[in-house]
């Protein structure tokens, strides 16, 4: 099933309505869709490198919009919709753990998890279930999702096809290093 879905998403990336499909996939990926939006974004960036910033911007906004849907599902429909989604991904306990972490660490969870391979949909559902404040949720989502998609856009715009393998295999590592640098920077600012 995932192979068929993967093939369909990459076909949509080449269609004349690819930008609209990017919006749909980015929104769905942030709340329910099993495949990362990168599977659609990367081929689109490679095919149209001069529109890299526009595509990253659209993907960021759509992903944050999908994150709002996930937040709403977690806040108001967790029992009937959110937990069945988590159960589908065998992530019931992961969602509950994230929900508890939101109560203690708040925005730091979004910043940290938004730059890791943990699916964003888990973060959005848990944030909603914890009734985490919406404005910090949106702001942190814009930062982390934007960092991810604009980094991909910058790499693909600059290096093209040769960087594709790197992004597909090692992007999580680069994003984790960026998270560590950001955290160290914030810690230094607070110490001064």
């Amino acid at each position: 099933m995932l192979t068929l879905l993967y093939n369909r998403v990459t076909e949509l990336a080449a269609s004349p309505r690819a930008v609209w499909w990017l919006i749909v996939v980015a929104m769905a990926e942030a709340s329910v869709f099993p495949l990362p939006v990168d599977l659609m974004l990367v081929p689109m960036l490679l095919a149209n490198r001069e529109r890299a910033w526009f595509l990253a911007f659209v993907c960021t906004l759509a992903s944050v919009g999908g994150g709002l849907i996930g937040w709403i599902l977690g806040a108001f429909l967790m029992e009937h919709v959110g937990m069945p989604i988590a159960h589908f991904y065998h992530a019931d306990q992961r969602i509950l753990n994230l929900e508890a972490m939101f109560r203690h660490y708040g925005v730091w969870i979004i910043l940290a998890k938004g730059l890791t391979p943990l699916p964003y949909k888990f973060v959005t559902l848990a944030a909603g279930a914890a009734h985490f404040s919406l404005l910090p949720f949106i702001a942190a989502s814009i930062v982390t999702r934007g960092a991810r998609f604009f980094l991909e856009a910058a790499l693909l715009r600059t290096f093209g096809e040769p960087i594709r393998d790197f992004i597909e295999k090692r992007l999580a590592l680069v994003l984790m290093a960026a998270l560590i640098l950001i955290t160290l920077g914030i810690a230094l600012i607070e110490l001064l």
Side-chain angles (χ1 to χ4, degrees):
M1 180 180 103
L2 285 178
T3 303
L4 292 173
L5 199 52
Y6 171 81
N7 292 338
R8 181 65 181 137
V9 167
T10 53
E11 285 172 21
L12 292 173
S15 77
R17 293 189 177 99
V19 172
W20 294 107
W21 283 113
L22 177 65
I23 292 168
V24 169
V25 170
M27 289 184 79
E29 183 264 342
S31 51
V32 297
F33 197 59
L35 297 176
V37 68
D38 312 83
L39 296 176
M40 186 160 198
L41 180 62
V42 169
M44 289 177 69
L45 290 168
L46 288 171
N48 207 344
R49 288 165 52 184
E50 62 277 354
R51 292 184 71 197
W53 307 129
F54 170 74
L55 293 171
F57 176 75
V58 166
C59 196
T60 300
L61 288 184
S63 182
V64 172
L68 287 173
I69 293 169
W71 188 95
I72 290 167
L73 292 175
F76 303 109
L77 298 169
M78 191 61 178
E79 183 181 337
H80 301 293
V81 179
M83 284 312 286
I85 291 169
H87 185 70
F88 176 80
Y89 294 107
H90 307 288
D92 308 57
Q93 192 57 48
R94 187 178 300 174
I95 295 287
L96 295 173
N97 292 344
L98 275 171
E99 182 182 344
M101 290 173 71
F102 265 106
R103 294 187 196 333
H104 295 293
Y105 302 107
V107 75
W108 290 104
I109 298 298
I110 301 166
L111 292 172
K113 299 301 183 186
L115 293 174
T116 66
L118 178 74
Y120 181 56
K121 69 185 93 345
F122 299 161
V123 173
T124 67
L125 289 169
H131 294 280
F132 183 71
S133 182
L134 206 48
L135 288 180
F137 171 79
I138 292 168
S141 293
I142 289 170
V143 169
T144 60
R145 301 310 276 179
R148 177 182 177 147
F149 301 135
F150 277 91
L151 176 61
E152 287 180 17
L155 290 171
L156 289 165
R157 181 179 163 91
T158 305
F159 301 108
E161 187 68 42
I163 202 72
R164 180 184 211 162
D165 184 54
F166 174 82
I167 285 174
E168 289 175 354
K169 292 184 180 174
R170 295 177 191 91
L171 183 63
L173 233 128
V174 171
L175 291 173
M176 187 59 85
L179 172 65
I180 291 168
L181 289 174
I182 290 168
T183 304
L184 289 174
I186 291 170
L188 283 174
I189 289 170
E190 291 199 17
L191 289 173
L192 300 176

